[in-house]
Amino acid sequence: MSLSLDLFGSLFLHELSFWWVIVPSILLGFVVGAIPGFSAANTIIILLPLTLAMDVEVGLAFMVALYCSSRMGAGIPAILVNIPGTAGAAATPLDGYPMTKAGRGQQALAISFVASTIGGLLTTVLSIFIMPWLAEVSYHMHSVEMIVVMLFGVSLIASIAARDTLKGLIAGFLGLMIGLIGTDHVYATPRGTFGLLELYDGVPLIPALVGLFAVSEAFMIIEQRSILTEKGLNILRGAGWSATLEGVAIALRRWWHITWTGLIGLVIGVIPGAGAAIASFVAYQQSRSFSKTPELYGTGHPEGLIAPESANNGVTAGTLIPMFILGIPGGATAAVMLVVLQYQGVNIGPTLFEQRPEIGYGVFIVMAVTYLLMMVTILPLARYMPRVTMARTVYLAPLIISFTLVGSFVPRDYVFDMFLGLLFGVIGYIGRRTGYHVAAMLIGVILGPMLEQYFLRAMKMADGNLMVLFSSNIGNALWVALIVSVALPFVLEYKRNRRSAAGTA
Amino acid sequence: MTESAASQLQEKCPVGGELIIPVVGLLFTGYYFTTIIGSPWTAQVSALFVGSFLAVLSLIFIVKATTMVWRGEADFGVRGVFNDTDLETNRHWLLLLTVAYILVVEWGGFTITTFVFLTAAMLVLNKGNRPAFIALLAAAFALGGYALFIFAFEVRFPVGPFERLMRWLLA
């Protein structure tokens, strides 16, 4: 399984010839990604009759382009109106939205697009060459290792809590507690469901996402004329192409940051069941831990925006690797793609790369082509999209409420989920008003059930022996890395304080 | 009440609103624990761990806030959450309209209910100004939403008389 440069070149030109299907799919992906409740997987399912009727390579180009662009699309409303389109973009507004409020929406979008494109492109190209070794990662990630990976994400709660420790931790633990609603993963015993059958499968993610971010935000913003500050409004009115290009330059200067956070996404993406949400939380937390200016995170810091965006695009290539090598899809969209490929008679496995390289390698090369075309397609939009934020909140707030609440209806067809979205909106509103960070709560809701699932699985296999958590070499190495990454910010801050104290003296 | 006493009361920090989330957390943890009594160990372990932490953190916050009130530095007011801006901005009406929207959308369908909700909410928030513009804007978004999601993508949005009529007309 190796790819020569000649083959790479000819496949690249071959995939480029599918631009006519890739470009419309990119635009569709932006729409799908930007609306909470929709996803690339759902859209591929909805358009399945069309996909199955296409030639296998055209169908693949369509699915891959939709998949990649929906990841980027999810970041657009997260940056502009504080509404993450998917859970994978839940860490994006932490620094993206403050930039928008300050009238730097163009720069924020440009940074997000460049980080997503370069992060996605680099990890895709890298995947082509190190695929067999990356596939091994999914073999070695068992329950114990996954617990530590989840804890990397959960430790972001502590980072957020750094500004107001007690409130941050209360919000995070309340989120974790809400995440535990539903039946347990071993005996299916219902817990904390208030007797509601709709909660037996746990708290659905979209209503939580929509409520905590979008609905609560809509109730907050009506106090102002626009979501921008007066100064921000003036800045945006005067902003031209130079602001977009400034965003591009800011992102390009941080190419190394894009690279290593993208790699975090790639490795997490390879692990089946992990996904973009974990990757973006972990990348944000790691970015903050190793930053020289951690205090700027959450205030509109470009690196706080680059980390989740690059990581969640790194996940895209990662989820396809175990699918093509081992036949294990790394996520929901990859699973739907697997079904389509099997319907088309494509045999998944290492031999695919020898027998049908236009499909095996082709899928990753079409991904690279998509990222290149995406840059050309999307960058001009960064110039005009932030204009949305100039709209008066009296018009914007009802639109946000109606469309996002209906979005929470879509995944399960339950009006109950719309009420749940409103309930989370009220909780989020009270939280924002009183200084409880809604992002900490959402991390708990997203990661809580997954953490419990892996924890119970590990304990079940070890007959309840807690020492199982330290029973594997990879797991132990991850534990050390976790402790270092959590402790490092405190050590660095201590050193900085000592240095500044010495300087003052 | 003297003027100085009134200004002193005004300066007090209202911690009542800040207590809502910890109290809700505490009550929910208590309820959750009642649902796992007698359950297998696997159903209890995570909740006991997370719930205990949440309960302890919430109690610390409640004690801290009560101590502030005891010292006269704060009061149990909820001005931080509910205040005059709610009335000024018509936030309470927006909340009621949202509840009505969710109740009606199931049988009213997406297009009609969204149009009515958008028109009513925008008029309420805009204090009744520019009704024609608002009606046009609401109609554009409701019909645009129908065209994009229900007609083009066949997404399962709530279906009502308008959607049924259009399905019949386009069949």
Side-chain angles (χ1 to χ4, degrees), chain A residues 28 46 167 180 187 192 194 219 223 406 409 429 433 436 452, chain B residues 18 22 31-32 35 42-43 46 80 91 101 149 153 156-157:
Chain A
L28 178 62
I46 291 164
K167 283 183 179 176
L180 295 179
Y187 293 105
F194 298 95
F219 279 95
E223 285 175 21
V406 170
F409 170 90
Y429 174 77
R433 278 270 180 217
Y436 292 89
E452 188 198 30
Chain B
E18 293 179 41
Y31 161 71
Y32 196 103
T35 66
T42 55
S46 312
R91 189 181 280 124
Y101 176 64
F149 301 116
F153 289 141
R156 292 172 303 182
F157 270 22

PDB file of all heavy atoms in Angstrom, chain A residues 28 46 167 180 187 192 194 219 223 406 409 429 433 436 452, chain B residues 18 22 31-32 35 42-43 46 80 91 101 149 153 156-157:
ATOM      1  N   LEU A  28     -23.726  23.464  -0.550  1.00  0.00           N
ATOM      2  CA  LEU A  28     -24.774  22.746   0.188  1.00  0.00           C
ATOM      3  C   LEU A  28     -24.276  22.406   1.599  1.00  0.00           C
ATOM      4  O   LEU A  28     -25.013  22.540   2.581  1.00  0.00           O
ATOM      5  CB  LEU A  28     -25.151  21.469  -0.573  1.00  0.00           C
ATOM      6  CG  LEU A  28     -26.205  20.564   0.064  1.00  0.00           C
ATOM      7  CD1 LEU A  28     -27.529  21.296   0.199  1.00  0.00           C
ATOM      8  CD2 LEU A  28     -26.410  19.304  -0.766  1.00  0.00           C
ATOM      9  N   ILE A  46     -30.805  11.751   3.242  1.00  0.00           N
ATOM     10  CA  ILE A  46     -31.960  12.340   2.549  1.00  0.00           C
ATOM     11  C   ILE A  46     -31.773  12.246   1.031  1.00  0.00           C
ATOM     12  O   ILE A  46     -32.700  11.945   0.291  1.00  0.00           O
ATOM     13  CB  ILE A  46     -32.156  13.812   2.983  1.00  0.00           C
ATOM     14  CG1 ILE A  46     -32.626  13.876   4.444  1.00  0.00           C
ATOM     15  CG2 ILE A  46     -33.169  14.530   2.092  1.00  0.00           C
ATOM     16  CD1 ILE A  46     -32.476  15.239   5.084  1.00  0.00           C
ATOM     17  N   LYS A 167     -18.159  28.771  40.135  1.00  0.00           N
ATOM     18  CA  LYS A 167     -19.271  28.796  39.182  1.00  0.00           C
ATOM     19  C   LYS A 167     -18.972  27.931  37.949  1.00  0.00           C
ATOM     20  O   LYS A 167     -19.856  27.246  37.432  1.00  0.00           O
ATOM     21  CB  LYS A 167     -19.552  30.234  38.735  1.00  0.00           C
ATOM     22  CG  LYS A 167     -20.310  31.048  39.753  1.00  0.00           C
ATOM     23  CD  LYS A 167     -20.603  32.418  39.186  1.00  0.00           C
ATOM     24  CE  LYS A 167     -21.385  33.246  40.187  1.00  0.00           C
ATOM     25  NZ  LYS A 167     -21.595  34.605  39.702  1.00  0.00           N
ATOM     26  N   LEU A 180     -25.971  12.470  32.335  1.00  0.00           N
ATOM     27  CA  LEU A 180     -26.198  11.113  32.863  1.00  0.00           C
ATOM     28  C   LEU A 180     -27.672  10.723  32.870  1.00  0.00           C
ATOM     29  O   LEU A 180     -28.026   9.605  33.249  1.00  0.00           O
ATOM     30  CB  LEU A 180     -25.642  11.006  34.292  1.00  0.00           C
ATOM     31  CG  LEU A 180     -24.127  11.141  34.441  1.00  0.00           C
ATOM     32  CD1 LEU A 180     -23.731  11.034  35.905  1.00  0.00           C
ATOM     33  CD2 LEU A 180     -23.403  10.073  33.636  1.00  0.00           C
ATOM     34  N   TYR A 187     -27.255  -2.168  32.221  1.00  0.00           N
ATOM     35  CA  TYR A 187     -28.522  -2.830  32.565  1.00  0.00           C
ATOM     36  C   TYR A 187     -29.756  -2.082  32.048  1.00  0.00           C
ATOM     37  O   TYR A 187     -30.883  -2.480  32.336  1.00  0.00           O
ATOM     38  CB  TYR A 187     -28.627  -3.001  34.090  1.00  0.00           C
ATOM     39  CG  TYR A 187     -27.604  -3.977  34.612  1.00  0.00           C
ATOM     40  CD1 TYR A 187     -26.481  -3.531  35.288  1.00  0.00           C
ATOM     41  CD2 TYR A 187     -27.749  -5.345  34.402  1.00  0.00           C
ATOM     42  CE1 TYR A 187     -25.521  -4.419  35.752  1.00  0.00           C
ATOM     43  CE2 TYR A 187     -26.797  -6.241  34.865  1.00  0.00           C
ATOM     44  CZ  TYR A 187     -25.690  -5.776  35.537  1.00  0.00           C
ATOM     45  OH  TYR A 187     -24.746  -6.658  35.987  1.00  0.00           O
ATOM     46  N   GLY A 192     -33.078   9.461  36.404  1.00  0.00           N
ATOM     47  CA  GLY A 192     -33.309  10.903  36.318  1.00  0.00           C
ATOM     48  C   GLY A 192     -34.145  11.334  35.122  1.00  0.00           C
ATOM     49  O   GLY A 192     -33.965  12.436  34.615  1.00  0.00           O
ATOM     50  N   PHE A 194     -37.499  11.734  34.999  1.00  0.00           N
ATOM     51  CA  PHE A 194     -38.790  12.302  35.381  1.00  0.00           C
ATOM     52  C   PHE A 194     -39.942  11.475  34.788  1.00  0.00           C
ATOM     53  O   PHE A 194     -41.031  11.996  34.542  1.00  0.00           O
ATOM     54  CB  PHE A 194     -38.919  13.761  34.915  1.00  0.00           C
ATOM     55  CG  PHE A 194     -37.884  14.669  35.527  1.00  0.00           C
ATOM     56  CD1 PHE A 194     -36.710  14.955  34.850  1.00  0.00           C
ATOM     57  CD2 PHE A 194     -38.079  15.220  36.783  1.00  0.00           C
ATOM     58  CE1 PHE A 194     -35.746  15.784  35.418  1.00  0.00           C
ATOM     59  CE2 PHE A 194     -37.110  16.050  37.351  1.00  0.00           C
ATOM     60  CZ  PHE A 194     -35.948  16.333  36.672  1.00  0.00           C
ATOM     61  N   PHE A 219     -32.455  35.707  23.736  1.00  0.00           N
ATOM     62  CA  PHE A 219     -33.099  36.442  24.822  1.00  0.00           C
ATOM     63  C   PHE A 219     -32.188  37.512  25.422  1.00  0.00           C
ATOM     64  O   PHE A 219     -32.658  38.481  26.006  1.00  0.00           O
ATOM     65  CB  PHE A 219     -33.569  35.471  25.923  1.00  0.00           C
ATOM     66  CG  PHE A 219     -34.873  34.806  25.583  1.00  0.00           C
ATOM     67  CD1 PHE A 219     -34.910  33.556  24.992  1.00  0.00           C
ATOM     68  CD2 PHE A 219     -36.077  35.460  25.815  1.00  0.00           C
ATOM     69  CE1 PHE A 219     -36.112  32.959  24.652  1.00  0.00           C
ATOM     70  CE2 PHE A 219     -37.281  34.873  25.475  1.00  0.00           C
ATOM     71  CZ  PHE A 219     -37.307  33.617  24.891  1.00  0.00           C
ATOM     72  N   GLU A 223     -31.614  43.314  24.277  1.00  0.00           N
ATOM     73  CA  GLU A 223     -31.355  44.538  25.046  1.00  0.00           C
ATOM     74  C   GLU A 223     -30.550  45.545  24.236  1.00  0.00           C
ATOM     75  O   GLU A 223     -30.522  46.725  24.563  1.00  0.00           O
ATOM     76  CB  GLU A 223     -30.576  44.205  26.322  1.00  0.00           C
ATOM     77  CG  GLU A 223     -31.434  43.570  27.374  1.00  0.00           C
ATOM     78  CD  GLU A 223     -30.635  43.134  28.575  1.00  0.00           C
ATOM     79  OE1 GLU A 223     -29.523  43.657  28.773  1.00  0.00           O
ATOM     80  OE2 GLU A 223     -31.114  42.264  29.300  1.00  0.00           O
ATOM     81  N   VAL A 406     -36.911  24.751  15.649  1.00  0.00           N
ATOM     82  CA  VAL A 406     -37.395  23.768  14.660  1.00  0.00           C
ATOM     83  C   VAL A 406     -36.252  22.806  14.307  1.00  0.00           C
ATOM     84  O   VAL A 406     -36.470  21.613  14.103  1.00  0.00           O
ATOM     85  CB  VAL A 406     -37.962  24.476  13.409  1.00  0.00           C
ATOM     86  CG1 VAL A 406     -38.244  23.477  12.300  1.00  0.00           C
ATOM     87  CG2 VAL A 406     -39.261  25.183  13.748  1.00  0.00           C
ATOM     88  N   PHE A 409     -36.198  19.968  16.512  1.00  0.00           N
ATOM     89  CA  PHE A 409     -37.291  19.016  16.237  1.00  0.00           C
ATOM     90  C   PHE A 409     -36.837  17.937  15.244  1.00  0.00           C
ATOM     91  O   PHE A 409     -37.241  16.777  15.330  1.00  0.00           O
ATOM     92  CB  PHE A 409     -38.487  19.797  15.662  1.00  0.00           C
ATOM     93  CG  PHE A 409     -39.607  18.952  15.102  1.00  0.00           C
ATOM     94  CD1 PHE A 409     -40.652  18.531  15.908  1.00  0.00           C
ATOM     95  CD2 PHE A 409     -39.613  18.585  13.756  1.00  0.00           C
ATOM     96  CE1 PHE A 409     -41.683  17.760  15.375  1.00  0.00           C
ATOM     97  CE2 PHE A 409     -40.636  17.817  13.225  1.00  0.00           C
ATOM     98  CZ  PHE A 409     -41.673  17.403  14.048  1.00  0.00           C
ATOM     99  N   TYR A 429     -29.889  31.218  29.758  1.00  0.00           N
ATOM    100  CA  TYR A 429     -30.115  32.652  29.998  1.00  0.00           C
ATOM    101  C   TYR A 429     -29.762  33.006  31.450  1.00  0.00           C
ATOM    102  O   TYR A 429     -29.042  33.971  31.709  1.00  0.00           O
ATOM    103  CB  TYR A 429     -31.576  32.997  29.690  1.00  0.00           C
ATOM    104  CG  TYR A 429     -31.940  34.405  30.035  1.00  0.00           C
ATOM    105  CD1 TYR A 429     -31.551  35.461  29.216  1.00  0.00           C
ATOM    106  CD2 TYR A 429     -32.655  34.708  31.197  1.00  0.00           C
ATOM    107  CE1 TYR A 429     -31.876  36.778  29.536  1.00  0.00           C
ATOM    108  CE2 TYR A 429     -32.983  36.011  31.528  1.00  0.00           C
ATOM    109  CZ  TYR A 429     -32.589  37.033  30.697  1.00  0.00           C
ATOM    110  OH  TYR A 429     -32.893  38.335  31.025  1.00  0.00           O
ATOM    111  N   ARG A 433     -26.669  35.367  32.700  1.00  0.00           N
ATOM    112  CA  ARG A 433     -26.975  36.528  33.540  1.00  0.00           C
ATOM    113  C   ARG A 433     -26.182  36.511  34.851  1.00  0.00           C
ATOM    114  O   ARG A 433     -25.872  37.553  35.411  1.00  0.00           O
ATOM    115  CB  ARG A 433     -28.468  36.518  33.881  1.00  0.00           C
ATOM    116  CG  ARG A 433     -29.315  37.096  32.793  1.00  0.00           C
ATOM    117  CD  ARG A 433     -29.429  38.549  33.058  1.00  0.00           C
ATOM    118  NE  ARG A 433     -30.226  39.240  32.089  1.00  0.00           N
ATOM    119  CZ  ARG A 433     -29.938  40.456  31.663  1.00  0.00           C
ATOM    120  NH1 ARG A 433     -28.874  41.061  32.115  1.00  0.00           N
ATOM    121  NH2 ARG A 433     -30.699  41.068  30.826  1.00  0.00           N
ATOM    122  N   TYR A 436     -22.462  31.958  35.012  1.00  0.00           N
ATOM    123  CA  TYR A 436     -22.131  30.526  34.857  1.00  0.00           C
ATOM    124  C   TYR A 436     -21.892  30.276  33.374  1.00  0.00           C
ATOM    125  O   TYR A 436     -22.748  30.599  32.550  1.00  0.00           O
ATOM    126  CB  TYR A 436     -23.284  29.639  35.347  1.00  0.00           C
ATOM    127  CG  TYR A 436     -23.501  29.715  36.827  1.00  0.00           C
ATOM    128  CD1 TYR A 436     -24.352  30.673  37.372  1.00  0.00           C
ATOM    129  CD2 TYR A 436     -22.851  28.844  37.692  1.00  0.00           C
ATOM    130  CE1 TYR A 436     -24.544  30.777  38.740  1.00  0.00           C
ATOM    131  CE2 TYR A 436     -23.041  28.932  39.059  1.00  0.00           C
ATOM    132  CZ  TYR A 436     -23.884  29.899  39.575  1.00  0.00           C
ATOM    133  OH  TYR A 436     -24.080  29.988  40.931  1.00  0.00           O
ATOM    134  N   GLU A 452     -19.111   8.077  30.776  1.00  0.00           N
ATOM    135  CA  GLU A 452     -19.728   7.043  31.604  1.00  0.00           C
ATOM    136  C   GLU A 452     -19.735   5.692  30.887  1.00  0.00           C
ATOM    137  O   GLU A 452     -19.429   4.655  31.466  1.00  0.00           O
ATOM    138  CB  GLU A 452     -21.165   7.436  31.961  1.00  0.00           C
ATOM    139  CG  GLU A 452     -21.763   6.469  32.978  1.00  0.00           C
ATOM    140  CD  GLU A 452     -23.271   6.529  33.064  1.00  0.00           C
ATOM    141  OE1 GLU A 452     -23.923   6.835  32.055  1.00  0.00           O
ATOM    142  OE2 GLU A 452     -23.785   6.229  34.143  1.00  0.00           O
TER     143      GLU A 452
ATOM    144  N   GLU B  18     -27.904  34.307  41.412  1.00  0.00           N
ATOM    145  CA  GLU B  18     -26.739  33.409  41.305  1.00  0.00           C
ATOM    146  C   GLU B  18     -26.972  32.081  42.009  1.00  0.00           C
ATOM    147  O   GLU B  18     -26.258  31.109  41.771  1.00  0.00           O
ATOM    148  CB  GLU B  18     -25.506  34.095  41.902  1.00  0.00           C
ATOM    149  CG  GLU B  18     -25.059  35.293  41.089  1.00  0.00           C
ATOM    150  CD  GLU B  18     -23.854  35.989  41.679  1.00  0.00           C
ATOM    151  OE1 GLU B  18     -22.942  35.296  42.136  1.00  0.00           O
ATOM    152  OE2 GLU B  18     -23.848  37.229  41.684  1.00  0.00           O
ATOM    153  N   PRO B  22     -27.088  26.695  41.351  1.00  0.00           N
ATOM    154  CA  PRO B  22     -26.687  25.702  42.375  1.00  0.00           C
ATOM    155  C   PRO B  22     -27.875  25.026  43.046  1.00  0.00           C
ATOM    156  O   PRO B  22     -27.831  23.818  43.309  1.00  0.00           O
ATOM    157  CB  PRO B  22     -25.905  26.529  43.394  1.00  0.00           C
ATOM    158  CG  PRO B  22     -25.551  27.784  42.725  1.00  0.00           C
ATOM    159  CD  PRO B  22     -26.520  28.015  41.622  1.00  0.00           C
ATOM    160  N   TYR B  31     -33.051  14.478  43.384  1.00  0.00           N
ATOM    161  CA  TYR B  31     -34.050  13.699  42.650  1.00  0.00           C
ATOM    162  C   TYR B  31     -33.375  12.510  41.945  1.00  0.00           C
ATOM    163  O   TYR B  31     -33.869  11.382  41.982  1.00  0.00           O
ATOM    164  CB  TYR B  31     -34.767  14.596  41.629  1.00  0.00           C
ATOM    165  CG  TYR B  31     -35.451  13.787  40.546  1.00  0.00           C
ATOM    166  CD1 TYR B  31     -36.585  13.032  40.821  1.00  0.00           C
ATOM    167  CD2 TYR B  31     -34.905  13.727  39.257  1.00  0.00           C
ATOM    168  CE1 TYR B  31     -37.179  12.257  39.839  1.00  0.00           C
ATOM    169  CE2 TYR B  31     -35.489  12.952  38.277  1.00  0.00           C
ATOM    170  CZ  TYR B  31     -36.623  12.213  38.563  1.00  0.00           C
ATOM    171  OH  TYR B  31     -37.188  11.432  37.600  1.00  0.00           O
ATOM    172  N   TYR B  32     -32.224  12.793  41.307  1.00  0.00           N
ATOM    173  CA  TYR B  32     -31.522  11.749  40.538  1.00  0.00           C
ATOM    174  C   TYR B  32     -31.172  10.571  41.463  1.00  0.00           C
ATOM    175  O   TYR B  32     -31.357   9.406  41.105  1.00  0.00           O
ATOM    176  CB  TYR B  32     -30.253  12.341  39.921  1.00  0.00           C
ATOM    177  CG  TYR B  32     -29.648  11.506  38.819  1.00  0.00           C
ATOM    178  CD1 TYR B  32     -29.807  11.855  37.487  1.00  0.00           C
ATOM    179  CD2 TYR B  32     -28.928  10.339  39.111  1.00  0.00           C
ATOM    180  CE1 TYR B  32     -29.257  11.092  36.474  1.00  0.00           C
ATOM    181  CE2 TYR B  32     -28.383   9.569  38.103  1.00  0.00           C
ATOM    182  CZ  TYR B  32     -28.543   9.951  36.791  1.00  0.00           C
ATOM    183  OH  TYR B  32     -28.010   9.183  35.789  1.00  0.00           O
ATOM    184  N   THR B  35     -33.830   8.152  42.064  1.00  0.00           N
ATOM    185  CA  THR B  35     -34.174   7.247  40.956  1.00  0.00           C
ATOM    186  C   THR B  35     -33.184   6.081  40.815  1.00  0.00           C
ATOM    187  O   THR B  35     -33.429   5.173  40.033  1.00  0.00           O
ATOM    188  CB  THR B  35     -34.234   7.999  39.604  1.00  0.00           C
ATOM    189  OG1 THR B  35     -32.927   8.470  39.273  1.00  0.00           O
ATOM    190  CG2 THR B  35     -35.212   9.141  39.647  1.00  0.00           C
ATOM    191  N   THR B  42     -23.771  -0.485  38.430  1.00  0.00           N
ATOM    192  CA  THR B  42     -23.332   0.230  37.231  1.00  0.00           C
ATOM    193  C   THR B  42     -24.172   1.482  36.968  1.00  0.00           C
ATOM    194  O   THR B  42     -23.690   2.451  36.399  1.00  0.00           O
ATOM    195  CB  THR B  42     -23.437  -0.664  35.978  1.00  0.00           C
ATOM    196  OG1 THR B  42     -24.751  -1.145  35.888  1.00  0.00           O
ATOM    197  CG2 THR B  42     -22.449  -1.782  36.004  1.00  0.00           C
ATOM    198  N   ALA B  43     -25.451   1.430  37.387  1.00  0.00           N
ATOM    199  CA  ALA B  43     -26.319   2.579  37.154  1.00  0.00           C
ATOM    200  C   ALA B  43     -26.080   3.675  38.182  1.00  0.00           C
ATOM    201  O   ALA B  43     -26.538   4.790  38.028  1.00  0.00           O
ATOM    202  CB  ALA B  43     -27.776   2.138  37.183  1.00  0.00           C
ATOM    203  N   SER B  46     -21.410   6.340  38.434  1.00  0.00           N
ATOM    204  CA  SER B  46     -21.066   7.639  37.845  1.00  0.00           C
ATOM    205  C   SER B  46     -21.864   8.745  38.501  1.00  0.00           C
ATOM    206  O   SER B  46     -21.330   9.822  38.813  1.00  0.00           O
ATOM    207  CB  SER B  46     -21.357   7.647  36.354  1.00  0.00           C
ATOM    208  OG  SER B  46     -20.845   6.528  35.752  1.00  0.00           O
ATOM    209  N   GLY B  80     -30.286  40.529  39.281  1.00  0.00           N
ATOM    210  CA  GLY B  80     -29.305  40.142  38.263  1.00  0.00           C
ATOM    211  C   GLY B  80     -29.934  39.350  37.119  1.00  0.00           C
ATOM    212  O   GLY B  80     -29.406  39.316  36.013  1.00  0.00           O
ATOM    213  N   ARG B  91     -39.203  41.142  26.918  1.00  0.00           N
ATOM    214  CA  ARG B  91     -38.633  39.789  26.939  1.00  0.00           C
ATOM    215  C   ARG B  91     -39.664  38.756  27.390  1.00  0.00           C
ATOM    216  O   ARG B  91     -39.708  37.644  26.864  1.00  0.00           O
ATOM    217  CB  ARG B  91     -37.409  39.763  27.856  1.00  0.00           C
ATOM    218  CG  ARG B  91     -36.629  38.473  27.789  1.00  0.00           C
ATOM    219  CD  ARG B  91     -35.446  38.508  28.722  1.00  0.00           C
ATOM    220  NE  ARG B  91     -34.322  39.228  28.161  1.00  0.00           N
ATOM    221  CZ  ARG B  91     -33.713  40.264  28.728  1.00  0.00           C
ATOM    222  NH1 ARG B  91     -34.114  40.702  29.896  1.00  0.00           N
ATOM    223  NH2 ARG B  91     -32.698  40.848  28.160  1.00  0.00           N
ATOM    224  N   TYR B 101     -45.570  29.233  20.265  1.00  0.00           N
ATOM    225  CA  TYR B 101     -45.058  28.730  18.978  1.00  0.00           C
ATOM    226  C   TYR B 101     -44.852  27.212  19.036  1.00  0.00           C
ATOM    227  O   TYR B 101     -45.281  26.470  18.146  1.00  0.00           O
ATOM    228  CB  TYR B 101     -43.738  29.452  18.672  1.00  0.00           C
ATOM    229  CG  TYR B 101     -43.019  28.982  17.434  1.00  0.00           C
ATOM    230  CD1 TYR B 101     -43.583  29.137  16.169  1.00  0.00           C
ATOM    231  CD2 TYR B 101     -41.750  28.404  17.515  1.00  0.00           C
ATOM    232  CE1 TYR B 101     -42.913  28.736  15.036  1.00  0.00           C
ATOM    233  CE2 TYR B 101     -41.061  28.004  16.385  1.00  0.00           C
ATOM    234  CZ  TYR B 101     -41.653  28.170  15.147  1.00  0.00           C
ATOM    235  OH  TYR B 101     -40.986  27.758  14.021  1.00  0.00           O
ATOM    236  N   PHE B 149     -36.148  23.835   3.084  1.00  0.00           N
ATOM    237  CA  PHE B 149     -36.091  22.626   3.916  1.00  0.00           C
ATOM    238  C   PHE B 149     -37.137  21.580   3.560  1.00  0.00           C
ATOM    239  O   PHE B 149     -36.839  20.399   3.470  1.00  0.00           O
ATOM    240  CB  PHE B 149     -36.218  23.004   5.402  1.00  0.00           C
ATOM    241  CG  PHE B 149     -35.146  23.943   5.854  1.00  0.00           C
ATOM    242  CD1 PHE B 149     -35.442  25.213   6.284  1.00  0.00           C
ATOM    243  CD2 PHE B 149     -33.822  23.559   5.806  1.00  0.00           C
ATOM    244  CE1 PHE B 149     -34.451  26.088   6.684  1.00  0.00           C
ATOM    245  CE2 PHE B 149     -32.821  24.419   6.188  1.00  0.00           C
ATOM    246  CZ  PHE B 149     -33.136  25.695   6.626  1.00  0.00           C
ATOM    247  N   PHE B 153     -35.230  19.887   0.332  1.00  0.00           N
ATOM    248  CA  PHE B 153     -34.505  18.819   1.043  1.00  0.00           C
ATOM    249  C   PHE B 153     -35.407  17.759   1.667  1.00  0.00           C
ATOM    250  O   PHE B 153     -34.920  16.763   2.200  1.00  0.00           O
ATOM    251  CB  PHE B 153     -33.619  19.418   2.140  1.00  0.00           C
ATOM    252  CG  PHE B 153     -32.434  20.153   1.608  1.00  0.00           C
ATOM    253  CD1 PHE B 153     -32.007  21.332   2.198  1.00  0.00           C
ATOM    254  CD2 PHE B 153     -31.734  19.675   0.522  1.00  0.00           C
ATOM    255  CE1 PHE B 153     -30.907  22.017   1.714  1.00  0.00           C
ATOM    256  CE2 PHE B 153     -30.635  20.359   0.030  1.00  0.00           C
ATOM    257  CZ  PHE B 153     -30.218  21.523   0.623  1.00  0.00           C
ATOM    258  N   ARG B 156     -37.913  16.631   7.652  1.00  0.00           N
ATOM    259  CA  ARG B 156     -39.153  16.383   8.393  1.00  0.00           C
ATOM    260  C   ARG B 156     -39.445  17.519   9.375  1.00  0.00           C
ATOM    261  O   ARG B 156     -39.239  17.388  10.570  1.00  0.00           O
ATOM    262  CB  ARG B 156     -39.049  15.046   9.120  1.00  0.00           C
ATOM    263  CG  ARG B 156     -39.035  13.862   8.165  1.00  0.00           C
ATOM    264  CD  ARG B 156     -38.738  12.591   8.887  1.00  0.00           C
ATOM    265  NE  ARG B 156     -37.478  12.669   9.606  1.00  0.00           N
ATOM    266  CZ  ARG B 156     -36.963  11.671  10.305  1.00  0.00           C
ATOM    267  NH1 ARG B 156     -37.609  10.554  10.411  1.00  0.00           N
ATOM    268  NH2 ARG B 156     -35.799  11.805  10.912  1.00  0.00           N
ATOM    269  N   PHE B 157     -39.921  18.624   8.842  1.00  0.00           N
ATOM    270  CA  PHE B 157     -40.363  19.742   9.678  1.00  0.00           C
ATOM    271  C   PHE B 157     -41.822  19.482  10.064  1.00  0.00           C
ATOM    272  O   PHE B 157     -42.507  18.696   9.397  1.00  0.00           O
ATOM    273  CB  PHE B 157     -40.270  21.042   8.872  1.00  0.00           C
ATOM    274  CG  PHE B 157     -38.940  21.749   8.991  1.00  0.00           C
ATOM    275  CD1 PHE B 157     -37.793  21.069   9.366  1.00  0.00           C
ATOM    276  CD2 PHE B 157     -38.838  23.111   8.732  1.00  0.00           C
ATOM    277  CE1 PHE B 157     -36.583  21.723   9.477  1.00  0.00           C
ATOM    278  CE2 PHE B 157     -37.625  23.776   8.846  1.00  0.00           C
ATOM    279  CZ  PHE B 157     -36.494  23.080   9.206  1.00  0.00           C
TER     280      PHE B 157
END
